[in-house]
């Protein structure tokens, strides 16, 4: 089956992640939040019957408030189920419960309906102080893993690449001396001894490969790299388990082993890792950086500049950091109706609102300004781009390139259709 990254855009996955993060943060008073998982293929009539039984059982709850909230949540869940003629192909998930908005007594009933991105096979109903989102969060975790072995006569590096996470598992040294023989040894004897030591090192490296990669879940392939012909001798020899040898999908040249060699693998084997988000993001950010460094006029960054180019219709690809935290606040005058949107960082929110209370409206000159609406900048820019038919890419901040986008370019960048 194709991975989620292949079947869904980065924006779709971002929105689902954001919703689940929001749901995971919600907390009810007592065990009043209802979570329902309907597996694919299950008749909705069976689910409705079970929920009616749960509604009847909830009447035995001693606390009046808890009983009322649980039964109200169950009523809403059943209302949502009636909107479906049959269970969707991937199943159905519904969350509902009374969420405190601003302390005790401020509860508001909230309902969320989610069509899972992958088929679910669990049947679950439960009440708790939090929504049960773990099965959906697990779906979003990158599961395809590539193993990497970099090897030469000096040593070997073993690593994995899962989604955007590159992890070094083991570094070993060979202990084999260089090609210059010790005094008094014949060239033939020296080469024979060195070949024996190299063979022994290959066997040791093969055992490490077997122990690290054999049985690893979701191992999609194995990449072998390193300088010179050593790596090919290792692959072609009888050093790794035959099941691992079948997993070898590429042998690539690198200038080094170790971390520098891993960077070489990522650069030289990007076509192999095309479905791994790390390489896709690297290619995208490097394209943007290339335009910036060469001053081609086909790249811009920063909220104001990017917004201006979006409004002009000049943006080809909008690039946003997944960790962009900037908030957009609609400031309005309660006296004359004057309004403006402003961008504020979360750490500055308290100070901004405190200062706003003392500011005078630029139109009527009264201290009647207030925050009427709040939204995330990333959501605003995505909506703006989608309305204009602009491609949007959401980039993780967990990679070196993603961190650069966030810290050096404010998390907002764009590749343009034409010079501005």
């Amino acid at each position: 089956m194709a991975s989620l990254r292949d079947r869904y855009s980065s924006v779709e996955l971002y929105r689902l992640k954001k919703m689940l993060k929001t749901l995971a943060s919600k907390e009810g008073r007592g065990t009043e939040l209802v979570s329902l998982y309907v597996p694919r293929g299950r008749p909705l009539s069976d689910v409705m019957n079970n929920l009616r039984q749960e509604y009847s059982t909830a009447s035995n709850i001693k606390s009046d408030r808890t009983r009322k909230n649980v039964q109200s949540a169950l009523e809403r869940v059943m209302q949502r189920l009636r909107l479906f003629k049959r269970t969707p192909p991937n199943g159905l998930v519904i969350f509902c419960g009374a969420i405190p908005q601003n302390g005790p007594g401020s509860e508001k009933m909230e309902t969320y309906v989610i069509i899972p991105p992958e088929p679910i096979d669990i049947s679950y109903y439960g009440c708790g102080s939090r929504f049960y989102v773990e099965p959906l969060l697990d779906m979003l975790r990158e599961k395809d893993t590539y193993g990497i072995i970099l090897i030469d006569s000096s040593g070997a590096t073993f690593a994995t690449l899962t989604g955007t996470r590159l992890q070094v598992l083991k570094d070993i040294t060979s202990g084999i001396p260089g090609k210059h023989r010790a005094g008094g040894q014949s060239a033939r004897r020296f080469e024979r001894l060195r070949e024996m030591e190299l063979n022994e090192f290959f066997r040791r490296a093969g055992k490490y490969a077997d122990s690290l990669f054999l049985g690893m879940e979701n191992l999609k392939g194995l990449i072998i790299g390193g300088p010179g012909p050593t790596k090919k001798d290792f692959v072609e020899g009888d050093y790794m388990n035959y099941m691992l040898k079948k997993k070898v999908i590429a042998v690539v040249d690198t200038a080094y082993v170790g971390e520098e060699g891993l960077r070489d693998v990522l650069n030289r084997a990007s076509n192999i890792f095309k479905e791994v988000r790390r390489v896709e993001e690297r290619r995208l950010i490097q394209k943007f950086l290339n335009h910036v460094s060469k001053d081609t006029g086909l790249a811009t960054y920063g909220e104001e500049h990017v917004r201006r180019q979006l409004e002009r219709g000049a943006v080809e690809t909008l690039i946003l950091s997944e960790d962009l935290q900037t908030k957009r606040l609609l400031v309005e005058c309660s006296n004359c109706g004057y309004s403006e949107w402003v961008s504020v960082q979360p750490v500055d929110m308290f100070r901004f609102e405190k200062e706003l209370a003392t500011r005078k409206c630029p139109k009527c000159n009264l201290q009647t300004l207030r925050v009427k609406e709040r939204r995330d900048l990333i959501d605003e820019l995505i909506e703006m781009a989608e309305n204009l038919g602009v491609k949007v890419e959401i980039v993780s901040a967990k990679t070196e390139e993603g961190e650069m986008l966030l810290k050096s370019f404010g998390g907002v960048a764009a590749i343009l259709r034409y010079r501005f």
Side-chain angles (χ1 to χ4, degrees), residues 280-292 296-302 305-306 309-310 313-320 390-393 395 405 412-420:
E280 294 175 352
E281 292 181 358
R282 174 187 288 265
R283 186 184 300 116
L284 179 66
I285 299 300
Q286 286 182 345
K287 181 180 179 181
F288 163 74
L289 292 174
N290 185 57
H291 285 305
V292 172
T296 63
L298 293 175
T300 190
Y301 56 89
H305 293 293
V306 170
Q309 298 308 319
L310 277 170
V315 175
E316 177 182 279
T317 304
L318 174 64
I319 309 171
L320 301 171
V390 173
K391 182 181 179 182
V392 183
E393 290 289 352
V395 175
L405 173 70
V412 181
I415 296 173
L416 306 180
R417 303 178 193 275
Y418 49 83
R419 298 173 185 271
F420 61 91

Side-chain angles (χ1 to χ4, degrees), residues 44-45 48 77-89 91-94 113-115:
L44 291 181
S45 57
M48 290 292 285
V77 171
M78 288 189 282
Q79 287 173 3
R80 293 298 189 277
L81 278 178
R82 292 189 185 100
L83 299 177
F84 294 86
K85 293 182 179 180
R86 62 183 66 84
T87 304
L92 183 64
V93 182
I94 302 179
V113 180
I114 296 175
I115 305 297

Side-chain angles (χ1 to χ4, degrees), residues 325-327 329 342-356 359 371 374:
Q325 299 297 316
T326 307
K327 303 293 181 182
L329 306 181
V342 295
S343 297
V344 181
Q345 296 301 320
V347 294
D348 299 324
M349 193 73 70
F350 177 77
R351 180 173 56 84
F352 175 82
E353 294 191 12
K354 187 177 180 181
E355 292 176 354
L356 187 66
R359 275 177 50 192
V371 176
R374 306 165 191 262

Side-chain angles (χ1 to χ4, degrees), residues 142-368:
E142 292 283 358
K143 299 179 178 66
D144 290 336
T145 297
Y146 291 89
I148 302 173
I149 301 175
L150 303 180
I151 188 167
D152 69 359
S153 60
S154 66
T157 301
F158 303 86
T160 56
L161 182 67
T162 304
T164 60
R165 189 166 65 94
L166 182 65
Q167 181 180 10
V168 177
L169 305 178
K170 189 75 178 177
D171 269 314
I172 63 173
T173 56
S174 68
I176 300 172
K179 293 186 177 182
H180 300 288
R181 69 180 190 274
Q185 282 189 330
S186 70
R188 184 176 298 177
R189 174 177 168 77
F190 177 79
E191 287 301 325
R192 185 167 65 250
L193 290 174
R194 193 171 187 279
E195 188 175 328
M196 290 173 61
E197 290 175 333
L198 189 59
N199 186 63
E200 183 56 36
F201 168 59
F202 281 172
R203 293 190 185 282
R204 185 156 57 95
K207 287 180 180 179
Y208 272 111
D210 292 348
S211 64
L212 292 170
F213 297 120
L214 268 181
M216 182 178 284
E217 291 187 10
N218 306 304
L219 184 67
K220 196 166 185 179
L222 199 60
I223 310 298
I224 312 294
T230 311
K231 58 186 175 295
K232 292 183 180 178
D233 296 336
F234 174 71
V235 173
E236 294 170 1
D238 189 22
Y239 303 109
M240 289 189 296
N241 183 283
Y242 76 96
M243 294 181 67
L244 268 190
K245 291 186 73 171
K246 288 182 178 179
K247 289 277 189 178
V248 175
I249 55 177
V251 179
V252 298
D253 290 318
T254 65
Y256 308 93
V257 294
E259 291 190 11
E260 289 185 66
L262 289 174
R263 284 195 288 270
D264 276 348
V265 169
L266 293 179
N267 288 328
R268 302 185 186 199
S270 59
N271 60 320
I272 299 168
F273 294 132
K274 61 183 178 181
E275 64 268 53
V276 180
R277 187 62 182 169
R278 181 186 181 94
V279 177
E280 294 175 352
E281 292 181 358
R282 174 187 288 265
R283 186 184 300 116
L284 179 66
I285 299 300
Q286 286 182 345
K287 181 180 179 181
F288 163 74
L289 292 174
N290 185 57
H291 285 305
V292 172
S293 64
K294 294 182 178 179
D295 197 20
T296 63
L298 293 175
T300 190
Y301 56 89
E303 178 192 344
E304 291 186 13
H305 293 293
V306 170
R307 187 188 298 276
R308 191 178 306 124
Q309 298 308 319
L310 277 170
E311 291 171 348
R312 292 179 57 194
V315 175
E316 177 182 279
T317 304
L318 174 64
I319 309 171
L320 301 171
S321 171
E322 191 175 51
D323 286 3
L324 183 63
Q325 299 297 316
T326 307
K327 303 293 181 182
R328 292 283 285 167
L329 306 181
L330 177 59
V331 175
E332 186 179 79
C333 175
S334 59
N335 178 60
C336 68
Y338 167 84
S339 65
E340 63 172 321
W341 282 96
V342 295
S343 297
V344 181
Q345 296 301 320
V347 294
D348 299 324
M349 193 73 70
F350 177 77
R351 180 173 56 84
F352 175 82
E353 294 191 12
K354 187 177 180 181
E355 292 176 354
L356 187 66
T358 63
R359 275 177 50 192
K360 292 182 179 181
C361 172
K363 186 175 180 181
C364 67
N365 208 35
L366 296 178
Q367 291 182 340
T368 48

